[in-house]
Amino acid sequence: MLLSLPEDTSLPRGAALHPVRVPGSKSVTNRALLLAAVAPGTSRFRGGLEAEDTRWMRRALADLGLGVREEDGTWTIEGGGRPRTSTPLWLGASGTTLRFLLPWLALKAEGPVRLEGDPRLFERPLGPLLTPLEALGAAWEPDAKGAWLRPAPHTPERLDLEVDARLSSQFLTGLALTAAALPGGGTLRWTAVASPSYLALTTQWLRRFGCEARLEEGRWLIPGGALTPRDLDLPGDWSGAAAFLAAAAVTGRTLHLAPLDPDDAQGDRAMVALLQAAGCRTRWTGPQDLELEGPLQRGLDADLTDCPDLGPVLAALAALAPGASELRGLHTLPLKECDRLDASAELVRWLGGGAEVIGDHTLRVQPGPRPGPRAPFDPRNDHRMAFAAAVGGLRCGGEVRDPHCVAKTFPDFWEVWRGMLGC
C-alpha cells in the first residue's frame, strides 16, 4: 500500500499549525505495566498508550494469569502473582515487551514459557541478557518461530550481576524491574551502556512504585520487597512528539503540543533543546503545554547517545536544514526494528540531500535541491522511519510504502498528522 505524503500547502501562509495531542509513552507504559504486574495489589492507569507494542505487553500479562482489564480508558492490573501459561505468548515486534518480560519469566514463571513474534524480534540482540539468566539456571531454546524459555529451578533472593549493556539499556531495565520484585532486590553493574537516559527513566518509575532505586555511575542499587500498587496518569510520549516538533521547524510555523511533562525522564525530551540550539523558539504555555516556533536557522550538531530514537526524524530534518548537519551517537540504530542508520541515510538521499555514514555511529548530512519524481520510500516496516518520511514530505512530497507500520506505537499518526496540517 502507498500513501501520498502531505505537503505544507493546506494552511494559509504564516498560519500556525493546528494543535496536537500526543499519545501516551510506549517506554513508560510498558515499564508501568510490568511494575504493576510484579507489585502485589491493584494498580490503575489512565493515559496509557494504545498501540501494538503495549497491546502485546497487556495480552502477555493476561495470558500469564494476571488480571488485566480496561474500562472507560482506565487499565486495571492485579499484580503480585507468579506467571504461568500453557499457551504461546505472541510479542509482535516489541523489543521492550520481550526484554522486560524475560528476566521475570526466567526467575519467577511456574513452568516453561513459549515466546513467539515477528522474525526480526528474535534477530535483535538478546545474548547479554540471556547470559546472566542462564548462569542462574534458566534455559533458552530458540527455533525458527521463536523460543522456549525454561525458568531457573529456584528463584534467587536477590540479584548481584555484571551485565554487558553496550548494545541495549533494556537488558539492565528488564533485570532491574525483576530485582525490585525479589525479597532482597539486587545490584547491577556495567562498564558501558547504550542510551543511559533510559536507566534514569526506569529509576523514576521504580520510585513511583515505591522502590527507592539508586542509579550511580556503572552501578544500580535496587531495594527489594518495596513495590506497592499505584493509581496513576501516564505521561505523553516525547518520542511521538518529535516528528510534530520537527514539522514546526521545517515549515517555520508555530505549534502547540500537549500533554508533555517537562520534568519527565524520557530521553527524547532532548528534542526541545536540539531545536533551540538550531534556532527554533520554545516556551511552556501551561504545565504540560509546549509551544514551538520555527523555522530552523542552521544545521544540526547533536550527540544522540542518550536519545538515538530521534535519529531518523532528525536525519529528515537535517536534509531540509539551511546548512550541513552531523548526528553522532547512533551506534544502536543498526540493531533496531530495521537498520535505522542505513535507512536514515537512504531517506536523506531520497529527500535530495547527501548522506555520509561514518563507522556505525555518525551520520553527516548535506541538504540538496528538492528532488524530482522518484520511487516511493520504503520505511522497512519501521514506525520511526515512517514518521521521518512524513517530516521530509512536508517540503519534498513523495509517497511512502507500508504506512500502517506506524501502528507499532502511534496507530492514528497519519490522521493526527493531517489534522495538524488542516488537510
Side-chain angles (χ1 to χ4, degrees), residues 83-124:
R84 64 178 73 86
T85 184
S86 58
T87 60
L89 302 183
W90 177 262
L91 307 182
S94 179
T96 55
T97 301
L98 175 60
R99 290 167 176 173
F100 294 178
L101 284 176
L102 255 177
W104 183 50
L105 297 177
L107 301 181
K108 301 280 281 188
E110 293 184 355
V113 180
R114 174 70 184 173
L115 301 167
E116 297 180 352
D118 293 350
R120 174 66 176 175
L121 178 64
F122 294 96
E123 293 170 1
R124 296 173 65 185

Side-chain angles (χ1 to χ4, degrees), residues 399-423:
E399 295 179 317
V400 63
R401 296 187 187 277
D402 186 26
H404 295 308
C405 65
V406 298
K408 189 173 192 294
T409 57
F410 201 154
D412 59 349
F413 173 81
W414 296 111
E415 290 80 5
V416 177
W417 191 257
R418 289 182 178 278
M420 175 188 69
L421 296 170
C423 60

Side-chain angles (χ1 to χ4, degrees), residues 137-229:
W140 178 255
E141 301 170 4
D143 54 43
K145 295 185 178 180
W148 280 100
L149 175 65
R150 304 192 185 278
H154 305 289
T155 301
E157 285 290 305
R158 70 182 312 274
L159 297 180
D160 192 350
L161 300 172
E162 180 83 25
V163 183
D164 181 354
R166 291 174 294 175
L167 299 180
S168 177
S169 62
Q170 290 174 4
F171 304 154
L172 287 165
T173 285
L175 290 164
L177 297 174
T178 295
L182 300 177
T187 299
L188 304 177
R189 296 178 300 279
W190 59 90
T191 55
V193 59
S195 309
S197 66
Y198 286 101
L199 304 185
L201 178 64
T202 303
T203 300
Q204 183 180 65
W205 282 88
L206 283 166
R207 290 175 175 170
R208 288 184 179 175
F209 277 80
C211 174
E212 292 297 322
R214 191 163 78 248
L215 183 62
E216 301 176 348
E217 184 69 28
R219 188 172 69 158
W220 215 348
L221 305 175
I222 303 155
L227 292 174
T228 55

Side-chain angles (χ1 to χ4, degrees), residues 300-305 308 326-331 361-363:
L300 301 164
D301 182 17
D303 184 342
L304 305 182
T305 300
E326 183 173 288
L327 307 177
R328 300 176 297 281
L330 305 178
H331 53 281
H361 52 77
T362 298
L363 179 63

Side-chain angles (χ1 to χ4, degrees), residues 256-396:
H256 288 264
L257 295 96
L260 292 170
D261 183 352
D263 298 319
D264 198 289
Q266 296 177 53
D268 288 354
R269 180 186 61 184
M271 186 72 176
V272 172
L274 293 173
L275 293 179
Q276 287 174 330
C280 295
R281 291 179 289 179
T282 66
R283 68 188 182 104
W284 291 94
T285 59
Q288 294 193 338
D289 298 314
L290 176 66
E291 178 186 273
L292 185 138
E293 182 181 356
L296 211 64
Q297 301 290 333
R298 60 192 72 90
L300 301 164
D301 182 17
D303 184 342
L304 305 182
T305 300
D306 274 347
C307 48
D309 286 342
L310 293 178
V313 161
L314 290 176
L317 189 56
L320 309 178
S325 296
E326 183 173 288
L327 307 177
R328 300 176 297 281
L330 305 178
H331 53 281
T332 63
L333 289 195
L335 307 174
K336 300 288 186 175
E337 284 84 340
C338 76
D339 181 342
R340 287 183 186 161
L341 184 55
D342 181 72
S344 295
E346 179 187 348
L347 176 61
V348 168
R349 298 178 187 118
W350 187 77
L351 295 172
E356 178 187 5
V357 176
I358 301 172
D360 64 349
H361 52 77
T362 298
L363 179 63
R364 288 180 179 165
V365 177
Q366 184 67 47
R370 178 187 170 111
R374 62 223 191 269
F377 178 72
D378 181 4
R380 308 187 192 186
N381 199 36
D382 190 317
H383 55 135
R384 298 202 188 279
M385 295 311 308
F387 300 157
V391 172
L394 290 171
R395 193 182 295 170
C396 297

